[in-house]
Amino acid sequence: MGLRRTMPTTTERTDLGAHQTTYQASRGGFFPAPNKPVPGTPTDTNKGKGGRS
């Protein structure tokens, strides 16, 4: 007699984006991926340079 499975066999995980890693040979392994800039967000390049505001 086979055992009944109580948990579903396939589950989609949506939280995998928080655990992305990239391989960096110069550092010796896998490390968290750096944050990428979101398109359309303003950058603060002229902040504190004494230019016009």
Side-chain angles (χ1 to χ4, degrees), residues 19-34:
H19 302 288
Q20 291 181 348
T21 58
T22 56
Y23 182 75
Q24 298 175 353
S26 61
R27 294 177 64 187
F30 287 92
F31 292 91

Side-chain angles (χ1 to χ4, degrees), residues 5-53:
R5 293 187 186 264
T6 57
M7 303 219 12
T9 56
T10 58
T11 57
E12 292 186 25
R13 294 186 58 191
T14 57
D15 61 341
L16 293 177
H19 302 288
Q20 291 181 348
T21 58
T22 56
Y23 182 75
Q24 298 175 353
S26 61
R27 294 177 64 187
F30 287 92
F31 292 91
N35 292 334
K36 294 181 181 178
V38 178
T41 56
T43 57
D44 297 331
T45 56
N46 294 330
K47 203 173 215 180
K49 292 189 178 180
R52 293 183 184 172
S53 22

